[in-house]
Amino acid sequence: MTLEPGFWTAILAALSGLALTVGLERFLQTAARWRRPAAAWALHMGLYGLAYVVLVFVLGRPIFATALLCAFFLLLVVVSNAKFKALREAFVFQDYEYFTDAIRHPRLYIPFLGWGKFFLAAAGFIAALTIGLWLEAVPALRAAWTGQWGALALLAALSLGLLLWGNRARLMVQIAPEQDVQALGLLASFWRYWQQGRERPSLSSPFENAAPKTSSVLSAADSLADLPHLVSVQSESFFDARRISDRIRPEILAEFDRFKSEAVASGYLQVPAWGANTVRSEFSFLSGIENRALGVHRFNPYRAVCAGWSVATLASWLKQQGYRTICIHPYPASFYQRHRVFPLFGFDEFLDIKTFADVARTGPYIGDLAVAEKVASVLEQATGPVFIHVITMENHGPLHLEKVAAGDIEALYQQAPPPGCEDLTIYLRHIRNADAMLTRLRGALSSSDRPTSLCWYGDHVPIMPSVYAALGTPCGDVDYFIWNSTGGQTKTPHRDAAIHDLAREWMCSSGVMFKQTL
């Protein structure tokens, strides 16, 4: 039996593409090691081989299929490096939604890759598609077992065998992206993260069994009358930037300083995110579950909730106590699937970007002051105790897409910043508006007929690599405070906290929950 040229073309193209992917891994910021478990190599070869077989079966062009696979692998490397530079974390399987989100919300993602790289990649893909379909012809005897299909059958059997063998090893992963990519390679780490992502978390929230601080002697109406309005603000990318430079005017956060001086608790807050991935901090605050305890689900806990994981939250617990629970977020509710997740968390109402349709933007997003006005409106109309969870957007990057305005330097600094700090100037302009939001919230909370309590915290530090290069990189902790309109407790000294403990600390400080439930 004589094998057709198409048989050997398919085999050689597959081997060439496989070798190229191994070489491309060396360009990762967290480059995969040559020495890795045999099962990791088996997973890499098996996954690549099956993807190659499918593409060639559909296209009939082995060289073109190899080019497409290698181009996609290169894209993964570029995206992983861009993520590592901005967020100090390698690309993981759970980040696959970055690609669809980049299409639906391009301003949030593509600038960190770079518009030049994005358009170059898009042009290269279109050119490769055009040239590949035009230059490489489909073999005449493609379906013969001595031709292309015979080679595909052989490659499919080998690839499937390698994949099954590598899978049986159940390679150990640390759920630390950089270490896992280095130890196992990109594709093998993807496979193991995908496998672990299919397992639903078994953790429970401390809010499942928390006891309210109410007296059984009181009637339900009397108990509700004593409950304070509760407002939590997850301020986008908020941290006290004065920590990294004494050139910044201290008065830009005058109201923040005033709240801290009156707060029952304040300090630095440990959060599980750097620069982005807001939902990690958001979930830990609302659920009381430490991010690291989630295993592979720590990258996006909301995906597990959408898949059927039922978890108690601060909102569902407060709803049981008689609160009306509302989330305010001036962005599409579908982002991070919040429109599906938040009803499961116990929120009665979600006021998203549609609520702010007639509001002028502050920069590219709805401003913090407009959000404060909405909070004030909800409090004024409330007939019973309300819990309002606010997720702001004004200070969301990319900061480098905005421009420094005339007068910004004089208004924001005591002394001009060093070169390369344009992003910091933009950032300060926005957190000055966050401070104005606090002024409006103080007015709304203080004028309420019912006691009120405010919990304010940042979700993560902002992405400002050039600023950190000039002034030093912060540790990643943000700032928080807990404030009650009635005082009620003696102010505690500066106290650091972890975000998964913050909501329960707030409930105890506001008199809604017994301290011993912590």
Side-chain angles (χ1 to χ4, degrees):
M1 180 177 65
T2 304
L3 297 176
E4 302 291 335
F7 180 97
W8 296 113
T9 300
I11 296 292
L12 291 174
L15 294 175
S16 299
L18 181 62
L20 282 171
T21 60
V22 174
L24 288 171
E25 280 189 320
R26 304 302 300 167
F27 291 97
L28 284 166
Q29 191 74 35
T30 52
R33 303 189 188 106
W34 291 111
R35 296 184 63 182
R36 64 186 82 165
W41 283 115
L43 288 174
H44 183 105
M45 292 185 285
L47 290 169
Y48 173 83
L50 288 177
Y52 173 82
V53 166
V54 170
L55 267 183
V56 177
F57 183 78
V58 172
L59 299 172
R61 297 169 170 85
I63 298 175
F64 181 40
T66 297
L68 287 180
L69 284 174
C70 289
F72 181 69
F73 199 89
L74 177 60
L75 177 63
L76 290 178
V77 170
V78 171
V79 169
S80 183
N81 288 346
K83 183 190 176 191
F84 189 84
K85 178 182 178 182
L87 308 182
R88 308 200 303 183
E89 181 180 280
F91 190 84
V92 297
F93 175 80
Q94 280 69 24
D95 293 329
Y96 64 83
E97 286 183 342
Y98 277 11
F99 294 105
T100 54
D101 285 341
I103 296 172
R104 290 182 293 187
H105 309 280
R107 195 184 189 282
L108 298 185
Y109 292 90
I110 295 176
F112 294 113
L113 175 64
W115 286 102
K117 290 181 181 178
F118 172 77
F119 286 119
L120 184 63
F125 177 79
I126 294 171
L129 193 64
T130 304
I131 294 171
L133 292 174
W134 178 45
L135 291 183
E136 187 180 8
V138 177
L141 298 176
R142 181 189 177 203
W145 291 111
T146 56
Q148 188 180 99
W149 279 18
L152 294 182
L154 175 62
L155 290 171
L158 289 172
S159 299
L160 184 59
L162 287 167
L163 184 61
L164 292 174
W165 177 63
N167 181 64
R168 278 200 302 270
R170 293 294 184 192
L171 292 165
M172 182 68 68
V173 285
Q174 302 176 53
I175 315 300
E178 296 74 44
Q179 291 90 326
D180 290 331
V181 170
Q182 288 177 334
L184 304 180
L186 197 61
L187 296 186
S189 66
F190 279 5
W191 180 261
R192 290 296 290 126
Y193 277 38
W194 168 74
Q195 285 182 317
Q196 297 214 354
R198 297 176 66 195
E199 301 172 6
R200 191 174 299 174
S202 57
L203 298 168
S204 60
S205 165
F207 288 109
E208 280 191 15
N209 303 309
K213 192 174 183 180
T214 56
S215 171
S216 57
V217 176
L218 295 176
S219 67
D222 289 336
S223 298
L224 289 178
D226 291 338
L227 292 174
H229 288 318
L230 300 170
V231 178
S232 56
V233 178
Q234 181 173 278
S235 183
E236 172 60 39
S237 300
F238 182 89
F239 86 117
D240 189 346
R242 296 172 299 182
R243 285 196 260 142
I244 64 172
S245 176
D246 56 7
R247 303 183 185 210
I248 299 169
R249 289 190 178 277
E251 61 268 24
I252 69 167
L253 289 178
E255 191 65 34
F256 174 71
D257 289 340
R258 183 183 172 194
F259 266 108
K260 283 181 64 179
S261 70
E262 302 168 356
V264 296
S266 66
Y268 299 148
L269 186 68
Q270 298 170 8
V271 291
W274 172 281
N277 295 305
T278 296
V279 293
R280 300 181 190 178
S281 299
E282 187 173 290
F283 178 80
S284 287
F285 174 77
L286 291 171
S287 70
I289 298 174
E290 186 177 6
N291 182 259
R292 288 180 298 181
L294 293 168
V296 77
H297 296 286
R298 73 179 181 86
F299 300 109
N300 186 349
Y302 288 1
R303 195 174 291 129
V305 175
C306 289
W309 179 34
S310 179
V311 58
T313 68
L314 173 62
S316 63
W317 184 80
L318 287 172
K319 189 172 181 177
Q320 292 173 0
Q321 315 315 314
Y323 275 85
R324 177 163 180 76
T325 55
I326 301 169
C327 177
I328 300 176
H329 179 44
Y331 204 65
S334 60
F335 192 46
Y336 281 121
Q337 302 186 77
R338 286 189 179 99
H339 65 304
R340 296 178 57 194
V341 171
F342 275 35
L344 299 174
F345 278 0
F347 283 98
D348 294 311
E349 191 174 2
F350 194 147
L351 306 179
D352 76 338
I353 188 69
K354 295 188 291 291
T355 308
F356 299 87
D358 300 326
V359 176
R361 302 196 173 204
T362 305
Y365 308 108
I366 299 298
D368 287 355
L369 194 54
V371 177
E373 292 293 344
K374 180 57 64 177
V375 173
S377 175
V378 172
L379 291 175
E380 289 170 5
Q381 298 172 28
T383 57
V386 294
F387 163 52
I388 307 172
H389 182 59
V390 178
I391 309 164
T392 70
M393 273 299 293
E394 178 183 337
N395 203 26
H396 201 296
L399 296 169
H400 64 270
L401 295 186
E402 299 181 61
K403 301 296 183 184
V404 175
D408 277 348
I409 301 297
E410 294 76 12
L412 299 170
Y413 298 94
Q414 302 178 109
Q415 180 183 352
C421 288
E422 291 78 11
D423 287 0
L424 178 60
T425 304
I426 301 300
Y427 179 75
L428 295 177
R429 194 167 67 198
H430 287 306
I431 65 170
R432 182 178 58 184
N433 292 339
D435 200 62
M437 178 183 185
L438 280 170
T439 301
R440 181 65 183 97
L441 287 177
R442 178 185 288 275
L445 295 168
S446 299
S447 63
S448 174
D449 295 333
R450 184 182 290 270
T452 56
S453 184
L454 172 64
C455 179
W456 175 283
Y457 67 94
D459 54 351
H460 50 69
V461 297
I463 300 173
M464 301 190 296
S466 60
V467 174
Y468 300 147
L471 300 176
T473 303
C475 65
D477 291 349
V478 294
D479 296 82
Y480 85 96
F481 67 77
I482 296 170
W483 175 89
N484 296 329
S485 62
T486 56
Q489 293 187 35
T490 304
K491 174 176 167 52
T492 59
H494 177 102
R495 182 175 66 206
D496 296 344
I499 193 167
H500 59 277
D501 292 327
L502 183 59
R504 288 177 291 158
E505 175 65 29
W506 179 32
M507 292 300 97
C508 295
S509 300
S510 61
V512 179
M513 182 185 289
F514 277 119
K515 189 74 174 179
Q516 57 261 37
T517 61
L518 278 171

